[in-house]
């Protein structure tokens, strides 16, 4: 049944569940209420019998009767008098075996006599059966005709059953009306809850069809409203990704088109016997340089795509020496700027991560420092609590404020930039390792900070 309900509209599911709960409660009450009412009316029967005995014992004491009725209030005193009329009595004399009653069989009367003579309290409650019918009675000790006697007052179970059935019928009718009338608010509630979900389903369908122009707006603050806010954030993210994808394709086509165009034009000229750079060797050297630029750009594109893939998988962490890695990269790259004064503060520092990815980070950041530095670069490592702070500083010009905010975005190039992927790749790797990177303009020069967690 549950599996079938999954295929029904949500409004029908809510209504069915609401109706099932209401029906279940009604069925449970139909079993519990009669039991509860019987216990309640049993106690009320005994109270009625005892009230009747009190009035009977005080039949010559009008003041006592009036005090009793006044203490119950006008409505209850009237009900008490009506109930007392249904109470019957007979007397058991202590010294006489004869009981004056023509209503009951002899064996029941003897049982009542034995109970009366053996009861410890002045008044006690009893119940029994006469034939197939149940009886409730109270035996109270007193005086009659100057003899010790016991007043036996009783009511039949049929009275209790009549009360139970009458009240239960009224409650059953009320529950039935509640059950029927509750369907109306259940249907309204189901439609109220399902209508925004149906609207969201249509909006998500539009998103799946690349129809992203219409915003998702729900004037709600509950879980459905939060779902709508999440879908709206998804829509904005999809729009942003589409814009970034278009920008990416435009940048890639532009950046790859230039070296390809140079290579083709130079090779065509050489084939025609023309040397654009004066001789064959210089012209081929230009082709080789452009091919190298093209290879580097393609390699960076493939690498950043690889990082997007690795973002969904766990990195294989290994402990390595970060200070030694930095020194090794400096030895390989420093030859390109022999005029730079290197200032290193690199105490032994071990971190966990993918050593090859961190090599790419250091290479890209050092390449950036070398390109912009006037004549000085400083690199330092510090352990701060459970993190490592790596700082690169160069005495080059400050970064433009508009560029500083988007420095680590793909294809964001400064005035000396090459392809705009180096810092984006570095930022992606650092993020994959749980760290963060940022740049700050100093009074003189620019600093790049890398914060690395110590695992």
């Amino acid at each position: 049944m549950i599996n079938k309900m999954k295929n029904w509209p949500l409004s029908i599911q809510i209504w069915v569940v609401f109706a099932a709960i209401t029906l279940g409660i009604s069925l449970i009450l139909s079993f519990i209420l009669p039991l509860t009412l019987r216990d309640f009316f049993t106690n009320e029967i005994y109270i009625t019998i005892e009230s009747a005995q009190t009035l009977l014992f005080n039949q010559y004491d009008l003041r006592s009767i009036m005090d009793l009725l006044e203490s119950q209030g006008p409505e209850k005193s009237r009900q008490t008098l009506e109930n007392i009329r249904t109470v019957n009595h007979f007397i058991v004399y202590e010294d006489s075996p004869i009981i004056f009653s023509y209503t009951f069989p002899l064996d029941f009367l003897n049982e009542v006599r034995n109970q009366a003579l053996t009861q410890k309290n002045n008044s006690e409650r009893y119940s029994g059966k006469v034939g197939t019918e149940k009886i409730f009675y109270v035996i109270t000790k007193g005086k009659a005709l100057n003899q010790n006697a016991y007043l036996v007052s009783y009511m039949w179970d049929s009275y209790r059953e009549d009360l139970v059935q009458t009240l239960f019928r009224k409650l059953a009718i009320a529950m039935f009306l509640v059950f029927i009338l509750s369907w109306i608010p259940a249907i309204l509630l189901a439609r109220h809850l399902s209508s925004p979900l149906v609207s969201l389903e249509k909006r998500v369908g539009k998103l799946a069809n690349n129809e992203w122009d219409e915003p998702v707006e729900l004037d709600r603050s509950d879980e459905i409203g939060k779902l709508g806010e999440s879908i709206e954030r998804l829509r904005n993210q999809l729009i942003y990704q589409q814009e970034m994808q278009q920008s990416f394709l435009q940048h890639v086509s532009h950046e790859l088109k230039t070296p390809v165009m140079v290579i083709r034009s130079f090779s065509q000229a050489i084939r025609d016997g023309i040397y654009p750079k004066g001789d064959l060797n210089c012209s081929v050297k230009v082709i080789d340089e452009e091919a190298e630029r093209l290879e580097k750009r393609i390699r960076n594109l493939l690498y950043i795509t690889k990082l997007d893939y690795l973002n969904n998988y766990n990195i294989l962490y290994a402990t390595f020496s970060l200070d030694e890695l930095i020194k090794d990269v400096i030895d390989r790259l420093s030859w390109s700027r022999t005029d730079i004064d290197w200032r290193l503060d690199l105490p032994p520092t071990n971190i966990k991560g993918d050593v090859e990815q961190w090599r790419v980070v250091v290479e890209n950041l050092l390449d950036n420092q070398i390109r912009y530095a006037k004549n000085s670069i400083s690199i330092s490592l510090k352990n701060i609590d459970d993190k490592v702070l790596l700082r690169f500083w160069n005495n080059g010009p400050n970064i433009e404020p508009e560029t500083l905010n988007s420095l680590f975005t793909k294809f964001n190039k400064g005035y000396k930039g090459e392809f705009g992927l180096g810092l984006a790749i570095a930022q992606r790797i650092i993020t994959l390792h749980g760290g963060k990177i940022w740049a700050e303009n100093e009074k003189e020069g620019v600093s790049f900070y890398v914060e690395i967690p110590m695992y």
Side-chain angles (χ1 to χ4, degrees):
M1 179 66 180
I2 295 177
N3 291 331
K4 290 182 179 179
M5 282 182 60
K6 292 179 180 179
N7 299 323
W8 296 353
L10 182 60
S11 58
I12 299 298
Q13 293 185 44
I14 296 174
W15 176 79
V16 169
V17 170
F18 192 89
I21 292 174
T22 307
L23 180 60
I25 293 174
S26 300
L27 292 175
I28 292 172
L29 289 176
S30 67
F31 288 104
I32 294 177
L33 278 177
L35 298 176
T36 306
L37 291 175
R38 283 189 178 90
D39 291 339
F40 171 77
F41 283 122
T42 298
N43 186 59
E44 287 297 311
I45 284 175
Y46 282 123
I47 291 174
T48 300
I49 294 173
E50 290 166 350
S51 298
Q53 285 190 341
T54 300
L55 291 178
L56 193 62
F57 280 125
N58 296 294
Q59 59 180 322
Y60 299 111
D61 187 355
L62 184 60
R63 182 69 262 167
S64 297
I65 297 174
M66 292 301 296
D67 290 343
L68 173 66
L69 295 177
E70 287 177 0
S71 66
Q72 295 179 337
E75 183 61 29
K76 193 170 182 180
S77 62
R78 182 185 62 80
Q79 187 64 40
T80 298
L81 291 173
E82 290 181 1
N83 292 339
I84 285 172
R85 295 194 190 100
T86 64
V87 180
N88 298 298
H89 314 272
F90 64 87
I91 297 176
V92 176
Y93 288 97
E94 189 174 72
D95 298 327
S96 174
I98 302 173
I99 302 176
F100 297 100
S101 176
Y102 302 100
T103 307
F104 303 103
L106 186 61
D107 55 345
F108 176 75
L109 294 175
N110 288 331
E111 181 183 358
V112 171
R113 178 181 176 80
N114 291 334
Q115 290 171 339
L117 296 176
T118 57
Q119 76 178 21
K120 296 180 180 179
N121 299 320
N122 186 60
S123 179
E124 289 190 14
R125 297 175 176 181
Y126 300 91
S127 65
K129 275 198 170 184
V130 178
T132 60
E133 192 170 355
K134 193 169 185 178
I135 187 173
F136 302 97
Y137 54 97
V138 175
I139 301 177
T140 301
K141 187 176 182 179
K143 288 280 187 180
L145 301 177
N146 295 322
Q147 298 184 47
N148 290 330
Y150 296 90
L151 177 63
V152 181
S153 305
Y154 63 89
M155 292 181 70
W156 296 99
D157 184 49
S158 57
Y159 175 75
R160 182 187 67 164
E161 288 300 318
D162 288 342
L163 291 175
V164 170
Q165 293 299 327
T166 300
L167 186 56
F168 181 71
R169 279 195 298 269
K170 293 180 179 179
L171 290 175
I173 293 172
M175 287 189 296
F176 177 76
L177 292 175
V178 170
F179 178 69
I180 295 298
L181 295 176
S182 65
W183 287 6
I184 298 174
I187 293 173
L188 296 176
L189 176 63
R191 290 182 177 177
H192 174 71
L193 293 177
S194 62
S195 58
L197 293 177
V198 172
S199 176
L200 289 177
E201 186 271 335
K202 293 179 180 178
R203 301 289 180 83
V204 172
K206 290 183 177 181
L207 294 181
N209 294 324
N210 295 335
E211 299 177 15
W212 303 334
D213 296 333
E214 185 178 356
V216 179
E217 296 178 352
L218 291 178
D219 188 18
R220 306 173 66 108
S221 57
D222 57 3
E223 287 79 1
I224 297 177
K226 293 178 181 177
L227 175 61
E229 292 175 1
S230 299
I231 294 176
E232 175 63 14
R233 288 196 298 270
L234 173 62
R235 184 187 74 89
N236 292 328
Q237 184 64 25
L238 289 173
I239 293 174
Y240 173 75
Q241 288 183 358
Q242 184 188 41
E243 294 173 350
M244 290 298 295
Q245 184 179 23
Q246 292 175 350
S247 176
F248 177 84
L249 293 175
Q250 291 172 358
H251 278 88
V252 168
S253 61
H254 174 74
E255 294 293 337
L256 298 183
K257 180 176 65 176
T258 301
V260 169
M261 182 180 65
V262 172
I263 291 171
R264 289 194 64 186
S265 61
F266 270 60
S267 61
Q268 183 67 39
I270 292 172
R271 191 173 62 180
D272 294 338
I274 302 172
Y275 305 112
K277 286 297 182 178
D279 56 30
L280 178 61
N281 185 52
C282 291
S283 299
V284 171
K285 183 180 178 182
V286 172
I287 294 176
D288 185 61
E289 290 173 350
E290 292 297 325
E292 184 180 359
R293 288 179 60 200
L294 182 61
E295 180 187 11
K296 183 178 180 180
R297 294 176 181 183
I298 292 174
R299 185 170 63 247
N300 283 338
L301 285 172
L302 293 175
Y303 196 83
I304 201 165
T305 303
K306 177 184 176 182
L307 292 177
D308 289 334
Y309 170 79
L310 290 175
N311 191 38
N312 298 319
Y313 296 87
N314 293 328
I315 298 174
L316 297 176
Y317 288 94
T319 302
F320 65 94
S321 175
L322 181 59
D323 58 293
E324 292 297 330
L325 175 64
I326 295 172
K327 292 174 184 177
D328 180 63
V329 176
I330 291 174
D331 289 340
R332 290 191 295 105
L333 297 184
S334 60
W335 60 269
S336 62
R337 289 285 304 273
T338 57
D339 60 318
I340 290 179
D341 176 27
W342 294 87
R343 304 173 190 173
L344 305 180
D345 180 14
L346 302 174
T349 304
N350 292 331
I351 65 170
K352 288 184 179 180
D354 188 317
V355 63
E356 291 304 320
Q357 290 188 16
W358 277 105
R359 184 181 298 276
V360 172
V361 171
V362 175
E363 287 176 351
N364 287 347
L365 290 175
L366 276 178
D367 180 68
N368 183 273
Q369 305 302 307
I370 292 171
R371 188 181 312 121
Y372 289 98
K374 292 179 181 178
N375 53 21
S376 183
I377 293 177
S378 172
I379 305 174
S380 63
L381 274 172
K382 289 183 180 179
N383 290 326
I384 302 176
D385 296 331
D386 57 346
K387 295 180 176 65
V388 172
L389 185 63
L390 173 60
R391 177 176 180 260
F392 294 84
W393 172 85
N394 70 81
N395 63 346
N398 285 159
I399 302 172
E400 303 88 341
E402 61 275 10
T403 304
L404 191 64
N405 295 329
S406 57
L407 193 61
F408 301 99
T409 305
K410 288 183 288 188
F411 304 111
N412 181 61
K413 298 189 295 183
Y415 73 96
K416 289 185 180 180
E418 292 184 342
F419 192 31
L421 280 180
L423 292 179
I425 290 173
Q427 189 266 348
R428 188 70 59 85
I429 293 173
I430 293 168
T431 302
L432 285 174
H433 284 79
K436 61 181 180 179
I437 181 173
W438 69 95
E440 294 181 2
N441 286 321
E442 307 288 356
K443 187 175 181 181
E444 180 183 5
V446 178
S447 292
F448 283 77
Y449 294 90
V450 180
E451 189 178 80
I452 311 166
M454 296 286 288
Y455 294 97

